[in-house]
Short mmCIF file of all heavy atoms in Angstrom, two decimals:
data_model
loop_
_atom_site.label_atom_id
_atom_site.label_comp_id
_atom_site.label_asym_id
_atom_site.label_seq_id
_atom_site.Cartn_x
_atom_site.Cartn_y
_atom_site.Cartn_z
N TYR A 174 106.26 27.26 67.71
CA TYR A 174 107.44 27.96 68.19
C TYR A 174 108.70 27.40 67.53
O TYR A 174 109.61 28.14 67.15
CB TYR A 174 107.53 27.81 69.72
CG TYR A 174 108.82 28.37 70.28
CD1 TYR A 174 109.02 29.74 70.40
CD2 TYR A 174 109.86 27.52 70.67
CE1 TYR A 174 110.20 30.26 70.89
CE2 TYR A 174 111.04 28.02 71.16
CZ TYR A 174 111.21 29.39 71.27
OH TYR A 174 112.39 29.90 71.75
N LEU A 178 111.48 29.42 65.65
CA LEU A 178 112.84 29.37 66.20
C LEU A 178 113.83 29.02 65.09
O LEU A 178 114.87 29.67 64.93
CB LEU A 178 112.90 28.32 67.33
CG LEU A 178 114.25 28.10 67.99
CD1 LEU A 178 114.70 29.37 68.72
CD2 LEU A 178 114.18 26.95 69.01
N ARG A 179 113.45 28.01 64.31
CA ARG A 179 114.34 27.61 63.21
C ARG A 179 114.51 28.77 62.22
O ARG A 179 115.62 29.10 61.83
CB ARG A 179 113.77 26.39 62.49
CG ARG A 179 114.72 25.89 61.41
CD ARG A 179 114.29 24.56 60.84
NE ARG A 179 112.90 24.57 60.46
CZ ARG A 179 112.06 23.57 60.67
NH1 ARG A 179 112.47 22.47 61.25
NH2 ARG A 179 110.81 23.65 60.29
N SER A 181 114.31 31.88 62.78
CA SER A 181 115.10 32.99 63.32
C SER A 181 116.60 32.65 63.40
O SER A 181 117.42 33.54 63.48
CB SER A 181 114.57 33.38 64.70
OG SER A 181 114.89 32.37 65.63
N LEU A 182 116.91 31.36 63.40
CA LEU A 182 118.32 30.98 63.58
C LEU A 182 119.00 30.49 62.31
O LEU A 182 120.23 30.42 62.25
CB LEU A 182 118.44 29.89 64.66
CG LEU A 182 118.01 30.30 66.08
CD1 LEU A 182 118.13 29.13 67.03
CD2 LEU A 182 118.83 31.48 66.60
N PHE A 189 126.98 27.23 63.22
CA PHE A 189 126.64 26.05 64.01
C PHE A 189 127.44 24.83 63.59
O PHE A 189 127.81 24.70 62.41
CB PHE A 189 125.13 25.72 63.86
CG PHE A 189 124.22 26.79 64.41
CD1 PHE A 189 123.00 27.06 63.80
CD2 PHE A 189 124.57 27.52 65.54
CE1 PHE A 189 122.15 28.04 64.30
CE2 PHE A 189 123.73 28.50 66.04
CZ PHE A 189 122.53 28.77 65.42
N ASN A 190 127.68 23.93 64.55
CA ASN A 190 128.36 22.68 64.18
C ASN A 190 127.33 21.68 63.65
O ASN A 190 126.11 21.95 63.65
CB ASN A 190 129.16 22.11 65.36
CG ASN A 190 128.27 21.73 66.52
OD1 ASN A 190 127.11 21.34 66.34
ND2 ASN A 190 128.81 21.82 67.73
N GLU A 191 127.86 20.53 63.24
CA GLU A 191 127.00 19.57 62.54
C GLU A 191 125.81 19.13 63.40
O GLU A 191 124.66 19.12 62.94
CB GLU A 191 127.84 18.36 62.14
CG GLU A 191 127.22 17.56 61.02
CD GLU A 191 128.03 16.30 60.74
OE1 GLU A 191 129.25 16.31 61.02
OE2 GLU A 191 127.44 15.31 60.31
N SER A 192 126.09 18.82 64.69
CA SER A 192 124.98 18.29 65.49
C SER A 192 123.96 19.39 65.78
O SER A 192 122.75 19.14 65.88
CB SER A 192 125.51 17.63 66.77
OG SER A 192 125.69 18.57 67.76
N GLU A 193 124.42 20.64 65.89
CA GLU A 193 123.46 21.73 66.10
C GLU A 193 122.59 21.93 64.86
O GLU A 193 121.39 22.23 64.98
CB GLU A 193 124.21 23.03 66.45
CG GLU A 193 124.76 22.99 67.86
CD GLU A 193 125.77 24.09 68.14
OE1 GLU A 193 126.35 24.64 67.19
OE2 GLU A 193 126.00 24.36 69.33
N LEU A 194 123.20 21.74 63.69
CA LEU A 194 122.40 21.88 62.46
C LEU A 194 121.34 20.80 62.38
O LEU A 194 120.20 21.06 61.98
CB LEU A 194 123.32 21.80 61.23
CG LEU A 194 124.10 23.09 60.93
CD1 LEU A 194 125.07 22.88 59.77
CD2 LEU A 194 123.14 24.23 60.61
N ILE A 195 121.72 19.59 62.82
CA ILE A 195 120.73 18.49 62.82
C ILE A 195 119.60 18.83 63.79
O ILE A 195 118.42 18.68 63.48
CB ILE A 195 121.39 17.14 63.16
CG1 ILE A 195 122.37 16.77 62.05
CG2 ILE A 195 120.34 16.04 63.35
CD1 ILE A 195 123.21 15.54 62.33
N ARG A 196 119.98 19.33 64.98
CA ARG A 196 118.95 19.72 65.96
C ARG A 196 118.02 20.77 65.36
O ARG A 196 116.80 20.68 65.50
CB ARG A 196 119.61 20.35 67.20
CG ARG A 196 120.18 19.35 68.15
CD ARG A 196 120.72 20.06 69.36
NE ARG A 196 121.39 19.12 70.25
CZ ARG A 196 121.83 19.43 71.46
NH1 ARG A 196 121.68 20.64 71.91
NH2 ARG A 196 122.41 18.53 72.20
N LEU A 197 118.62 21.77 64.74
CA LEU A 197 117.83 22.87 64.18
C LEU A 197 116.81 22.35 63.17
O LEU A 197 115.68 22.81 63.10
CB LEU A 197 118.78 23.86 63.50
CG LEU A 197 118.22 25.26 63.25
CD1 LEU A 197 117.74 25.90 64.54
CD2 LEU A 197 119.27 26.14 62.59
N GLU A 198 117.23 21.36 62.41
CA GLU A 198 116.36 20.79 61.39
C GLU A 198 115.28 19.89 62.00
O GLU A 198 114.11 20.01 61.72
CB GLU A 198 117.25 19.98 60.42
CG GLU A 198 116.76 19.93 59.00
CD GLU A 198 116.18 21.26 58.50
OE1 GLU A 198 116.90 22.29 58.49
OE2 GLU A 198 115.00 21.25 58.16
N LYS A 199 115.72 18.99 62.91
CA LYS A 199 114.81 17.93 63.37
C LYS A 199 114.06 18.26 64.65
O LYS A 199 112.96 17.79 64.87
CB LYS A 199 115.60 16.63 63.59
CG LYS A 199 116.35 16.19 62.33
CD LYS A 199 116.16 14.72 62.11
CE LYS A 199 116.37 14.31 60.68
NZ LYS A 199 117.37 13.25 60.56
N ASN A 200 114.73 18.98 65.56
CA ASN A 200 114.13 19.23 66.87
C ASN A 200 114.63 20.58 67.37
O ASN A 200 115.42 20.66 68.32
CB ASN A 200 114.56 18.09 67.82
CG ASN A 200 113.83 18.12 69.15
OD1 ASN A 200 112.97 18.96 69.36
ND2 ASN A 200 114.19 17.22 70.04
N PRO A 201 114.18 21.69 66.72
CA PRO A 201 114.81 22.99 66.93
C PRO A 201 114.87 23.43 68.40
O PRO A 201 115.81 24.12 68.78
CB PRO A 201 113.95 23.96 66.11
CG PRO A 201 112.91 23.16 65.43
CD PRO A 201 113.08 21.73 65.76
N LEU A 202 113.89 23.00 69.24
CA LEU A 202 113.92 23.46 70.63
C LEU A 202 115.20 23.03 71.36
O LEU A 202 115.62 23.66 72.31
CB LEU A 202 112.69 22.94 71.40
CG LEU A 202 111.49 23.89 71.40
CD1 LEU A 202 110.82 23.92 70.05
CD2 LEU A 202 110.50 23.50 72.47
N ARG A 203 115.77 21.94 70.89
CA ARG A 203 116.99 21.44 71.55
C ARG A 203 118.17 22.39 71.43
O ARG A 203 119.11 22.32 72.20
CB ARG A 203 117.38 20.06 71.00
CG ARG A 203 116.43 18.94 71.36
CD ARG A 203 116.31 18.79 72.85
NE ARG A 203 117.60 18.90 73.51
CZ ARG A 203 118.40 17.91 73.74
NH1 ARG A 203 118.06 16.72 73.43
NH2 ARG A 203 119.56 18.09 74.32
N ILE A 204 118.13 23.30 70.46
CA ILE A 204 119.18 24.30 70.30
C ILE A 204 119.29 25.15 71.58
O ILE A 204 120.36 25.56 71.99
CB ILE A 204 118.85 25.23 69.09
CG1 ILE A 204 119.26 24.55 67.80
CG2 ILE A 204 119.50 26.59 69.21
CD1 ILE A 204 120.72 24.71 67.47
N LEU A 205 118.15 25.34 72.25
CA LEU A 205 118.16 26.17 73.47
C LEU A 205 118.95 25.51 74.59
O LEU A 205 119.35 26.15 75.54
CB LEU A 205 116.73 26.45 73.95
CG LEU A 205 115.76 27.08 72.95
CD1 LEU A 205 114.44 27.37 73.61
CD2 LEU A 205 116.33 28.37 72.38
N ASP A 206 119.16 24.21 74.47
CA ASP A 206 119.90 23.45 75.48
C ASP A 206 121.40 23.49 75.25
O ASP A 206 122.16 22.95 76.06
CB ASP A 206 119.51 21.96 75.37
CG ASP A 206 118.42 21.59 76.34
OD1 ASP A 206 118.08 22.43 77.17
OD2 ASP A 206 117.92 20.45 76.25
N SER A 207 121.85 24.10 74.14
CA SER A 207 123.26 24.01 73.76
C SER A 207 124.19 24.55 74.85
O SER A 207 123.91 25.56 75.49
CB SER A 207 123.49 24.79 72.47
OG SER A 207 124.86 24.77 72.16
N LYS A 208 125.30 23.83 75.03
CA LYS A 208 126.29 24.27 76.04
C LYS A 208 127.36 25.15 75.38
O LYS A 208 128.23 25.68 76.04
CB LYS A 208 126.95 23.04 76.68
CG LYS A 208 125.99 22.16 77.47
CD LYS A 208 125.91 22.59 78.94
CE LYS A 208 125.09 21.66 79.78
NZ LYS A 208 123.64 21.82 79.62
N ASN A 209 127.29 25.24 74.04
CA ASN A 209 128.27 25.99 73.27
C ASN A 209 128.05 27.50 73.45
O ASN A 209 126.99 28.03 73.13
CB ASN A 209 128.06 25.55 71.80
CG ASN A 209 129.04 26.18 70.87
OD1 ASN A 209 129.61 27.23 71.16
ND2 ASN A 209 129.23 25.54 69.73
N THR A 212 126.93 29.54 70.42
CA THR A 212 125.53 29.26 70.08
C THR A 212 124.59 29.92 71.09
O THR A 212 123.57 30.51 70.71
CB THR A 212 125.30 27.74 70.05
OG1 THR A 212 126.28 27.17 69.21
CG2 THR A 212 123.91 27.38 69.56
N GLN A 213 124.96 29.82 72.37
CA GLN A 213 124.11 30.43 73.41
C GLN A 213 123.91 31.92 73.14
O GLN A 213 122.81 32.45 73.28
CB GLN A 213 124.75 30.25 74.79
CG GLN A 213 124.48 28.89 75.40
CD GLN A 213 125.23 28.69 76.72
OE1 GLN A 213 126.01 29.54 77.15
NE2 GLN A 213 125.01 27.55 77.35
N LYS A 214 125.00 32.58 72.71
CA LYS A 214 124.93 34.03 72.46
C LYS A 214 123.97 34.31 71.28
O LYS A 214 123.08 35.16 71.40
CB LYS A 214 126.34 34.56 72.15
CG LYS A 214 126.41 36.06 72.04
CD LYS A 214 127.87 36.55 72.16
CE LYS A 214 127.95 38.07 72.09
NZ LYS A 214 127.77 38.62 70.74
N ILE A 215 124.14 33.54 70.20
CA ILE A 215 123.26 33.73 69.04
C ILE A 215 121.80 33.52 69.44
O ILE A 215 120.91 34.29 69.09
CB ILE A 215 123.64 32.75 67.90
CG1 ILE A 215 125.06 33.06 67.41
CG2 ILE A 215 122.64 32.81 66.75
CD1 ILE A 215 125.60 32.08 66.39
N VAL A 216 121.58 32.44 70.23
CA VAL A 216 120.22 32.10 70.66
C VAL A 216 119.65 33.23 71.52
O VAL A 216 118.54 33.72 71.30
CB VAL A 216 120.21 30.75 71.42
CG1 VAL A 216 118.90 30.56 72.16
CG2 VAL A 216 120.45 29.60 70.46
N ASN A 217 120.44 33.67 72.51
CA ASN A 217 119.95 34.71 73.41
C ASN A 217 119.57 35.98 72.67
O ASN A 217 118.60 36.65 73.03
CB ASN A 217 121.01 35.05 74.47
CG ASN A 217 120.99 34.01 75.58
OD1 ASN A 217 119.97 33.37 75.82
ND2 ASN A 217 122.12 33.81 76.22
N ALA A 220 116.64 34.34 69.33
CA ALA A 220 115.51 33.40 69.42
C ALA A 220 114.28 34.08 70.00
O ALA A 220 114.39 34.90 70.91
CB ALA A 220 115.90 32.21 70.28
N LYS A 254 114.33 30.35 78.49
CA LYS A 254 115.03 29.50 77.51
C LYS A 254 115.05 28.03 77.96
O LYS A 254 115.61 27.18 77.30
CB LYS A 254 116.47 29.99 77.32
CG LYS A 254 116.58 31.39 76.72
CD LYS A 254 116.38 31.34 75.22
CE LYS A 254 116.62 32.65 74.48
NZ LYS A 254 115.92 33.82 74.95
N VAL A 256 113.98 24.46 78.18
CA VAL A 256 113.04 23.61 77.44
C VAL A 256 113.05 22.15 77.88
O VAL A 256 112.08 21.44 77.74
CB VAL A 256 113.29 23.63 75.91
CG1 VAL A 256 112.90 24.95 75.35
CG2 VAL A 256 114.70 23.23 75.59
N ARG A 257 114.17 21.65 78.38
CA ARG A 257 114.32 20.24 78.78
C ARG A 257 114.44 19.34 77.54
O ARG A 257 113.81 19.55 76.52
CB ARG A 257 113.18 19.74 79.65
CG ARG A 257 112.81 20.65 80.78
CD ARG A 257 113.49 20.30 82.07
NE ARG A 257 113.39 18.87 82.36
CZ ARG A 257 114.44 18.10 82.51
NH1 ARG A 257 115.64 18.55 82.41
NH2 ARG A 257 114.27 16.83 82.77
#
Side-chain angles (χ1 to χ4, degrees):
Y174 173 76
L178 178 65
R179 184 171 50 221
S181 70
L182 297 178
F189 296 146
N190 64 30
E191 201 185 333
S192 85
E193 286 166 340
L194 281 175
I195 295 173
R196 281 183 185 188
L197 198 57
E198 210 40 59
K199 303 225 157 125
N200 189 2
L202 268 73
R203 291 301 318 270
I204 279 277
L205 305 184
D206 265 352
S207 177
K208 296 270 186 283
N209 183 337
T212 308
Q213 278 175 356
K214 187 163 182 285
I215 296 175
V216 166
N217 280 334
K254 296 281 187 307
V256 289
R257 313 266 313 121

